[in-house]
Amino acid sequence: MVNPWLAMETGTDPEERTRTVRRAHEAFLAGGPVAHPVRRVVADSWRRSASARATLDGPAPIDLDESDLRAYRDGHPLARAMPVFRDLLGSIAQDGAHVLAVCDPQGRMLWVEGHPGVRRHAERMNFVPGARWDERHAGTNAPGTALAADHAVQIFATEHYNKRVQQWTCAAAPLHDLRTGRLLGAVDITGGDHLAGPHSLALVQATARAAEAHLAAYANHPAPAAHLSVLARDEALLVTDGRTLRLGRRHSEIVLLLARHPEGLTGDQLATLLYGERDVRPVTLRAELSRLRHVVGPLLASRPYRLTRTVETDAAAVETDLAAGDLAAALRGYRGPLLPLSEAPGVRRLRALLEDRLRRSVLTRHDPETLRLWADTPWGEHDVQVREALDAATRPQNTKATSTAPPLPTAPQHRTASPLPTASRHRTASPLPTAPPLPTAPQHHTASPPPTASPLPTAPRLPTAYATSPQRPPL
């Protein structure tokens, strides 16, 4: 055989091959060796299945219930590749003869799609989402063996280890992260014997390569961040993937809290932030998250609960402006309190922190226009402290009044001279504008002041105009 991963060479009789391999399978189960014409890849898988005590005639076990399955697959990397799988294999799966399946590296079926009639038939062996189809649990099968061998493979009819599956033929190929080489899962197409030809194996291989390239391109050019508007809104607006979604109040709280905790939150942590000390059953939160997934799709993941991409918020933009010292931009962006009607403890705390930080910045700025802008808002109109600060900032300053009239002239300084012998001090009086200038008195060279400040009784009194004349003549 040219290709050992193909189930049959061209021209092989399917019925004869089915009978031959069935006899070899029964002989192996009876304890004999694996005989020709069983392929080596199938013989190795039978041995692994027998060693793991895989079921021989029972359905595959269910590993994930509906709630856990939805949360798990929405956050799985292969969720982003589903458009590729549906585009390349969906038409074949819908033609009424096949089903398309995608599983994770542990063989857990994440998606099983196709014609409803074929899917109902496949459900009899638990070929359904959430079931384990690795070799250890379901024996030899195309997705399980492709994972074990890390290679694309066909499994034809009686090559299946489990007798319940031997009426089916399938082809599967593993999927990898091209950047790291990490195994992500497998894509499978399952149907009748006509899938045993080389075309089905080539088709799933090409689909796997296309999906890997799609995921690599997504990693190099990640989707833009989503945006959540929560200021002055009771119901948040979420913009994601070109859609604008109006979230209910509880969903608004959940998305906001997860956006503030990009590392994720456990169920208990999220419940505390939403319900506080109230006695709320865990199933209540799980139901809310399940409904939210129907709205936002793969944006919400679990274990822990988290958002799968960055979600920017208008509240965080205000905080960024405040951190940068741009109070004007912060005030423009702050349209009102954060989810004002929310009573969730975690939301109330975020609301109070943002408003308090913004208010303190307004008060410390001491700018009348900024204070007035805050005081004129519905959330600031009753703020007494801001009103007082505004009054203080706009009150006229108490400065000492100054006159614009020119200063009164001051008497010029008199030149120093020996005092007259008949007086020691002159009394000041109002100048007489009509007084004539005094005659020049002779200079005294040896006169000295009298011993007492009292005027001599015989000294004639000097005219008062002499004391205050603006131009005193020299003595």
Side-chain angles (χ1 to χ4, degrees):
M1 183 180 293
V2 176
N3 187 349
W5 304 99
L6 282 170
M8 293 188 300
E9 296 177 350
T10 302
T12 302
D13 182 358
E15 293 184 0
E16 176 60 27
R17 184 59 177 267
T18 299
R19 290 192 294 268
T20 303
V21 175
R22 178 180 290 114
R23 289 194 295 267
H25 183 253
E26 292 172 349
F28 171 74
L29 294 180
V34 180
H36 180 78
V38 179
R39 293 177 291 157
R40 180 175 179 177
V41 61
V42 174
D44 291 342
S45 178
W46 283 359
R47 296 186 185 99
R48 289 192 298 267
S49 301
S51 178
R53 299 182 181 275
T55 180
L56 277 169
D57 197 20
I62 301 295
D63 195 56
L64 295 172
D65 61 24
E66 183 178 355
S67 176
D68 289 340
L69 170 66
R70 185 179 295 109
Y72 177 65
R73 71 182 181 183
D74 284 350
H76 198 277
L78 292 180
R80 301 187 184 100
M82 284 307 297
V84 178
F85 298 141
R86 290 171 179 139
D87 185 44
L88 297 180
L89 297 178
S91 59
I92 297 176
Q94 289 294 337
D95 67 2
H98 309 85
V99 290
L100 159 67
V102 177
C103 67
D104 72 358
Q106 289 73 42
R108 286 177 289 211
M109 289 294 161
L110 303 181
W111 292 271
V112 178
E113 301 178 355
H115 191 278
V118 181
R119 288 181 58 190
R120 283 194 298 270
H121 188 51
E123 287 172 0
R124 299 173 187 172
M125 58 181 181
N126 269 356
F127 197 72
V128 295
R132 284 291 291 268
W133 278 82
D134 58 322
E135 288 183 342
R136 188 165 65 90
H137 292 88
T140 304
N141 65 91
T145 302
L147 293 172
D150 198 16
H151 198 284
V153 64
Q154 282 180 332
I155 299 297
F156 169 74
T158 49
E159 289 182 330
H160 288 92
Y161 184 79
N162 188 332
K163 294 178 181 179
R164 184 175 291 205
V165 191
Q166 289 183 350
Q167 59 183 308
W168 299 86
T169 293
C170 46
L175 297 147
H176 301 85
D177 184 330
L178 295 182
R179 299 171 302 159
T180 64
R182 179 169 65 98
L183 182 64
L184 299 176
V187 57
D188 166 84
I189 187 167
T190 293
D193 292 350
H194 55 282
L195 284 179
H199 64 282
S200 63
L201 185 61
L203 182 59
V204 294
Q205 284 180 303
T207 301
R209 301 295 84 77
E212 289 173 341
H214 176 78
L215 293 175
Y218 180 91
N220 293 330
H221 301 88
H227 188 271
L228 186 71
S229 299
V230 292
L231 295 178
R233 291 184 175 276
D234 299 322
E235 296 181 337
L237 286 183
L238 176 65
V239 179
T240 177
D241 296 328
R243 300 178 300 157
T244 300
L245 307 173
R246 182 182 295 277
L247 304 179
R249 291 187 181 180
R250 184 63 77 191
H251 291 171
S252 300
E253 295 166 347
I254 292 173
V255 175
L256 171 64
L257 292 170
L258 293 179
R260 293 300 297 253
H261 296 273
E263 73 283 1
L265 295 167
T266 66
D268 289 341
Q269 290 171 331
L270 185 55
T272 299
L273 293 173
L274 287 172
Y275 307 114
E277 299 301 322
R278 292 166 51 195
D279 186 15
V280 178
R281 295 184 301 170
V283 67
T284 302
L285 178 58
R286 287 201 296 268
E288 289 286 0
L289 290 165
S290 178
R291 287 189 286 269
L292 179 58
R293 285 190 194 99
H294 284 292
V295 177
V296 302
L299 180 63
L300 178 63
S302 62
R303 299 181 181 179
Y305 295 114
R306 66 193 185 281
L307 301 175
T308 56
R309 74 172 79 164
T310 300
V311 175
E312 300 171 348
T313 70
D314 51 357
V318 172
E319 292 177 337
T320 300
D321 290 334
L322 284 174
D326 193 347
L327 180 57
L331 289 173
R332 287 194 301 269
Y334 187 76
R335 297 186 297 109
L338 183 153
L339 298 181
L341 295 185
S342 173
E343 293 297 324
V347 175
R348 291 176 62 184
R349 179 176 179 273
L350 293 175
R351 182 169 63 228
L353 286 175
L354 179 58
E355 183 169 329
D356 181 66
R357 187 178 177 190
L358 190 58
R359 178 178 175 274
R360 283 189 287 108
S361 297
V362 169
L363 286 169
T364 55
R365 183 64 62 91
H366 302 297
D367 176 60
E369 292 303 320
T370 303
L371 290 165
R372 184 177 291 107
L373 182 63
W374 182 268
D376 289 344
T377 62
W379 51 89
E381 61 181 349
H382 301 299
D383 193 324
V384 176
Q385 189 176 1
V386 170
R387 286 290 180 183
E388 292 175 348
L390 177 59
D391 291 342
T394 56
R395 186 183 304 124
Q397 299 295 320
N398 294 326
T399 58
K400 185 178 294 185
T402 57
S403 174
T404 58
L408 294 174
T410 58
Q413 299 293 324
H414 305 299
R415 289 181 298 173
T416 302
S418 300
L420 294 175
T422 57
S424 61
R425 183 178 299 173
H426 304 296
R427 290 184 299 174
T428 304
S430 300
L432 297 176
T434 58
L438 294 175
T440 303
Q443 293 187 357
H444 302 284
H445 301 285
T446 59
S448 59
T452 63
S454 301
L456 296 174
T458 58
R461 182 165 182 162
L462 295 175
T464 54
Y466 183 84
T468 57
S469 175
Q471 295 291 333
R472 181 178 178 179
L475 295 177

